Amino acid sequence: MKKQKSFAASLGLVALVTAALLAIPLVAMAITNEVNWSLYDFLFAGILIFGAGALYVFIRRQSESMMYRIASGLALLSALFLIWSNLAVGIIGSEDNVANYMYFGVVLILIIGVALSRFRPQGMALALFSTALAQGSTILFALAAGMHRYSGSSIQEIIMVNGFFIVLFTTSGVLFWLESNAQKTDEISQSDKI
């Protein structure tokens, strides 16, 4: 019962943070004409932010390990930032460029990998490494297809932006891998005591 109250309280906090973040563009719209969000923008952003926060609350309950929690948070923030930046300004060209749809494939690989891992650290590490590899393949595809010639894109921009996400996903994968090894070491030391 106490865990249910804790879970509900955590979700309440996520809802408050989501509302606070959505208040920023709402206030900005009252101050300037530079920000112009539609109801759809607010709904989508709310679902995205609250969904990521709720998922973190759920994943956080899978382990008491700080390393696991940091790795989970980094993975979720990386995926959220990838989706947000892709929809807001686009990674290749503008946000309307069809080439940006391939980044939803990167997030889909992450989702499938996490589901298959059942939130176990070693599986989560493999899911994040696969996601980083998929992110890297977008560089090769974009350059091979000549997407660096699109307005608002260059070879350097494509490499640097995608490289940034590769580093984030890889770092999260390394943290999960370290957590997996720490768990194995704990299991071995526990079995030695018996």
Side-chain angles (χ1 to χ4, degrees):
M1 185 70 162
K2 187 176 180 181
K3 283 191 173 183
Q4 286 180 332
K5 285 184 181 180
S6 173
F7 185 69
S10 295
L11 286 181
L13 181 61
V14 170
L16 285 173
V17 169
T18 301
L21 289 173
L22 291 177
I24 294 169
L26 186 63
V27 169
M29 285 175 57
I31 296 172
T32 179
N33 291 332
E34 296 294 315
V35 179
N36 187 18
W37 280 32
S38 68
L39 178 61
Y40 171 77
D41 293 329
F42 280 101
L43 285 173
F44 186 79
I47 290 168
L48 197 61
I49 294 167
F50 182 80
L55 187 56
Y56 178 73
V57 168
F58 174 76
I59 291 173
R60 185 185 71 190
R61 296 166 57 93
Q62 304 301 313
S63 175
E64 295 294 321
S65 165
M66 186 58 70
M67 180 104 54
Y68 187 94
R69 290 178 176 192
I70 291 170
S72 299
L74 180 59
L76 277 169
L77 283 174
S78 302
L80 178 66
F81 188 54
L82 176 62
I83 293 167
W84 193 280
S85 59
N86 192 31
L87 291 174
V89 294
I91 295 174
I92 297 176
S94 72
E95 69 273 11
D96 299 326
N97 193 321
V98 179
N100 289 309
Y101 289 134
M102 69 181 156
Y103 295 103
F104 294 112
V106 172
V107 175
L108 185 61
I109 287 170
L110 177 60
I111 292 168
I112 291 169
V114 168
L116 291 174
S117 77
R118 296 188 200 143
F119 302 105
R120 289 183 301 242
Q122 186 174 9
M124 293 287 278
L126 294 175
L128 268 301
F129 293 147
S130 298
T131 304
L133 187 62
Q135 187 81 40
S137 70
T138 63
I139 296 172
L140 298 176
F141 180 78
L143 295 179
M147 294 178 188
H148 57 281
R149 294 186 192 96
Y150 293 177
S151 175
S153 292
S154 69
I155 292 174
Q156 294 84 3
E157 289 172 332
I158 290 172
I159 291 172
M160 289 180 66
V161 171
N162 285 288
F164 172 73
F165 287 106
I166 291 167
V167 168
L168 291 176
F169 289 130
T170 302
T171 302
S172 181
V174 167
L175 292 174
F176 276 119
W177 194 263
L178 292 172
E179 174 60 21
S180 174
N181 289 338
Q183 284 183 2
K184 288 176 188 174
T185 303
D186 287 345
E187 290 170 7
I188 291 169
S189 67
Q190 292 294 332
S191 66
D192 288 345
K193 288 180 183 177
I194 298 173

